[in-house]
Amino acid sequence: MPQALAYLVANPHPDKPVFGMLTNGDDILFIKLTRSPTPEYNLSRVFALFTSAREVYEILQILKGIGQAMSTMGCAYAP
């Protein structure tokens, strides 16, 4: 998580929230970072990818929402 937060803090647009996803191949955790006025991050619950189809559906819904938010804000993907 520290490495992911370091990448998120390096966002060149500090006025906009930044999203990240951590995975170990089975579990998935989403991160949202805001930097104004001070850096603050929030974590989602842990999603277990191989537990149920419902978990996969929820993960895809979150990714879809993040993708829509990015396209609305005119953001580009940066690995």
Side-chain angles (χ1 to χ4, degrees):
M1 187 163 56
Q3 183 178 0
L5 288 171
Y7 285 126
L8 295 176
V9 168
N11 174 29
H13 306 285
D15 56 321
K16 297 180 181 179
V18 189
F19 302 93
M21 182 178 88
L22 299 173
T23 183
N24 64 5
D26 182 22
D27 300 327
I28 295 175
L29 179 72
F30 292 97
I31 304 172
K32 176 183 177 185
L33 177 80
T34 55
R35 289 198 337 200
S36 54
T38 58
E40 185 175 304
Y41 68 93
N42 294 303
L43 301 174
S44 71
R45 68 177 183 84
V46 175
F47 292 89
L49 184 60
F50 297 111
T51 301
S52 71
R54 179 184 167 127
E55 293 281 286
V56 174
Y57 179 77
E58 288 183 39
I59 292 165
L60 292 174
Q61 289 299 104
I62 293 169
L63 291 173
K64 180 180 176 182
I66 291 171
Q68 288 172 341
M70 288 176 61
S71 65
T72 301
M73 293 187 299
C75 298
Y77 168 76

